[in-house]
């Protein structure tokens, strides 16, 4: 299985989905009703027009203007909904190769596994679905992962530029650019000082790092220089927040930061659930039971109690979650978490297992310090968000999945994951296209189920 043949298969199937979506849903749908008109204003050169309901920067619209400016010489209205969705789909093809580059950097000697992993990750259900709409998610993920890939290749200035572009697509990407920079600094320290190894504990790693930084020698200066492109991106973000008087553009009322701690629990369960074919062989529930010594059992009980307190005090039901029955999270919340008050607590053993499984899957090839950084950045992105949306999990999911131990995974498990993703995509896209419905409040206007 070569990556070229995998790409041709992927692109052909994806284009077929795009063609069908454009044929069945020719008008802007869901958030496209904000994004597409705004992009069309930019295509007409109306840069002073801005829809106040939009909360993200105009990066996607500026990217779409590049092919639109060329096509405008060939005919009228290059920025039709079909064209704009096609530009987003084209970005998904670039994303495929960016993912492949990352997989090859992290697994340089496994070409067949790299092709299988690239296919699987490119088929991640929520992400794959949105490749065929006009949302910011595809471009946002592309530039974050491109920054990560360039950073792994020691091209830190280019990584900083890609990170800066990512901020024009989603503001919270600044957290991932800082994480990418910190990861690059950690790799440099590991190479120069041979400290902070995967086998070292978290406390040992922190102690080693503090001793190294206290030396203030040439190696410390070199690492500080390496960080400068990423810190410059962070400084630009701080300047934006100061000028904008907040992170969110436009409609700030529905996007006020909150303390939504259970988001971390949902995220861990989501990762283990969607990538069960690759995670379960590395960390099965049977493995967890075998690991339960008395100290670990006590720790698990304390952790479960802490989770119960967080669920009780910090669970948030955003008005959008409860009012829009076009999204799958609406049905998860309505039919599971709202059915009985105890259901929210019944999943605590699953949350504990999910956290343990993810740590087990990552521990062979990553350091405890890197895993702590990933956990903190994931929390910084998800916890302030009051709304449960699976697409917010996409970027941290990729950082987890890309770094899951390759030596313990098999090509068969990854292909099974790809088939699992394909089945979910086939079902959700079929439902989106073939099972529209209407609201009594909006007769004659079709609604559709989506992520």
């Amino acid at each position: 299985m070569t990556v070229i043949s995998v790409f041709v298969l992927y692109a052909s199937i994806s284009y077929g989905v795009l063609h069908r979506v454009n044929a069945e849903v020719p008008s802007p749908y869901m958030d496209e009703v904000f994004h597409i008109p705004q992009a069309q204003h930019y295509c007409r050169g109306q840069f002073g027009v801005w829809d106040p309901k939009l909360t993200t920067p105009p990066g996607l619209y500026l990217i779409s203007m590049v092919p639109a400016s060329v096509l405008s010489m060939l005919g009228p209205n290059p920025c039709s909904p079909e064209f704009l969705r096609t530009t987003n789909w084209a970005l998904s093809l670039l994303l495929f190769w960016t993912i492949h580059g990352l997989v090859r950097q992290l697994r340089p000697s496994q070409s067949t596994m790299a092709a299988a992993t690239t296919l699987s990750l490119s088929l991640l259900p929520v992400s794959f679905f949105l490749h065929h709409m006009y949302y910011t998610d595809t471009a946002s993920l592309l530039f974050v992962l491109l920054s990560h890939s360039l950073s792994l290749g020691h091209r830190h200035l280019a990584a900083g530029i890609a990170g800066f572009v990512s901020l024009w697509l989603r503001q919270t990407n600044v957290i991932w650019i800082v994480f990418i920079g910190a990861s690059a600094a950690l790799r440099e320290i590991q190479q120069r000082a041979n400290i902070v190894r995967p086998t070292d504990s978290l406390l040992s790693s922190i102690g080693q790092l503090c001793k190294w930084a206290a030396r203030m020698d040439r190696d410390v200066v070199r690492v500080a220089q390496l960080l400068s492109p990423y810190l410059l991106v962070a400084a630009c973000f701080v300047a934006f927040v100061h000028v904008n008087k907040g992170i969110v553009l436009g409609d700030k009322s529905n996007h006020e930061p909150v303390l939504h701690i259970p988001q971390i629990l949902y995220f861990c369960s989501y990762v283990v659930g969607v990538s069960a074919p690759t995670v379960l062989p590395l960390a099965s529930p049977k493995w967890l039971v075998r690991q339960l010594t008395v100290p670990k059992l006590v720790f698990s009980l304390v952790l479960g109690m802490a989770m119960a307190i967080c669920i009780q005090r910090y669970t948030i039901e955003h008005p959008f979650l409860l009012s829009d029955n076009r999204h799958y999270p609406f049905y998860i919340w309505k039919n599971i978490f709202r059915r009985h008050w105890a259901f929210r607590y019944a999943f605590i053993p699953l949350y504990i297992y999910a956290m343990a499984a993810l740590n087990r899957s990552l521990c062979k090839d990553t350091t405890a310090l890197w895993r702590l950084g990933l956990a903190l950045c994931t929390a910084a992105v998800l916890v302030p968000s009051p709304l449960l949306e699976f697409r917010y999990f996409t970027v941290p999911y990729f950082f987890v999945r890309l770094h899951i131990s390759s030596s313990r995974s098999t090509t068969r498990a990854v292909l099974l994951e790809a088939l699992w993703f394909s089945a979910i995509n086939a079902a959700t896209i079929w439902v989106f296209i073939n099972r529209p419905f209407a609201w009594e409040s909006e007769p004659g206007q079709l609604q559709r189920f989506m992520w």
Side-chain angles (χ1 to χ4, degrees), residues 420-433:
W420 167 235
F421 286 171
S422 298
I424 296 173
N425 287 326
T428 53
I429 291 169
W430 186 88
V431 168
F432 177 76
I433 291 172

Side-chain angles (χ1 to χ4, degrees), residues 142-371:
L142 168 63
F143 282 98
V144 170
L145 294 186
L146 179 60
S147 179
H148 188 28
S149 179
L150 291 167
S151 178
L152 288 172
H154 304 285
R155 299 167 64 185
H156 300 294
L157 179 58
I161 293 171
F164 178 73
V165 174
S166 77
L167 297 191
W168 285 77
L169 295 152
R170 182 159 293 164
Q171 300 93 313
T172 53
N173 284 341
V174 69
I175 294 168
W176 298 116
I177 304 310
V178 170
F179 176 67
I180 290 168
S183 299
L186 185 59
R187 288 193 302 273
E188 188 74 13
I189 293 168
Q190 287 172 309
Q191 280 187 338
R192 290 175 177 269
N194 192 29
I195 59 174
V196 193
R197 297 170 292 270
T199 53
D200 293 334
S201 68
L202 179 60
L203 289 177
S204 173
S205 298
I206 293 173
Q208 293 172 32
L209 197 61
C210 291
K211 287 179 182 178
W212 175 85
R215 289 163 30 189
M216 290 303 294
D217 59 10
R218 257 186 281 182
D219 285 350
V220 177
V221 174
R222 166 65 186 137
V223 171
Q225 291 173 339
L226 177 153
L227 279 170
S228 58
Y230 309 100
L231 295 177
L232 184 59
V233 173
C236 291
F237 173 76
V238 171
F240 160 77
V241 172
H242 175 72
V243 172
N244 188 56
K245 294 181 172 55
I247 295 175
V248 177
L249 286 169
D251 183 16
K252 295 181 173 65
S253 60
N254 288 307
H255 296 84
E256 292 290 336
V258 295
L259 198 60
H260 195 182
I261 297 175
Q263 288 272 41
I264 298 299
L265 311 181
Y266 309 148
F267 169 73
C268 292
S269 305
Y270 168 86
V271 175
V272 172
V274 297
S275 284
T278 52
V279 173
L280 291 182
L282 305 178
S284 67
K286 188 183 294 185
W287 160 82
L288 182 62
V289 172
R290 287 201 303 264
Q291 299 299 310
L292 281 180
T293 59
V294 172
K296 288 182 179 179
L297 182 59
V298 172
F299 175 78
S300 298
L301 290 173
V302 172
L303 180 61
M305 291 172 62
M307 287 181 179
I309 293 170
C310 289
I311 290 169
Q312 180 190 16
R313 296 185 178 180
Y314 300 108
T315 296
I316 294 174
E317 294 183 336
H318 193 280
F320 289 176
L321 176 64
L322 300 173
S323 63
D324 196 336
N325 66 344
R326 296 172 294 181
H327 290 292
Y328 292 119
F330 168 89
Y331 297 94
I332 294 173
W333 200 263
K334 171 176 171 287
N335 295 324
I336 299 177
F337 291 103
R338 271 205 147 202
R339 185 168 292 275
H340 192 277
W341 66 267
F343 278 28
R344 298 183 185 185
Y345 303 94
F347 289 96
I348 287 176
L350 173 62
Y351 300 148
I352 294 173
Y353 164 69
M355 287 185 172
L358 292 182
N359 186 65
R360 164 80 170 172
S361 301
L362 291 168
C363 68
K364 185 174 178 60
D365 294 339
T366 63
T367 66
L369 198 58
W370 186 91
R371 295 194 297 277

Side-chain angles (χ1 to χ4, degrees), residues 13 119 123 125 415-428:
I13 294 173
L119 175 63
L123 290 170
L415 289 175
L416 184 60
E417 180 185 56
L419 288 174
W420 167 235
F421 286 171
S422 298
I424 296 173
N425 287 326
T428 53

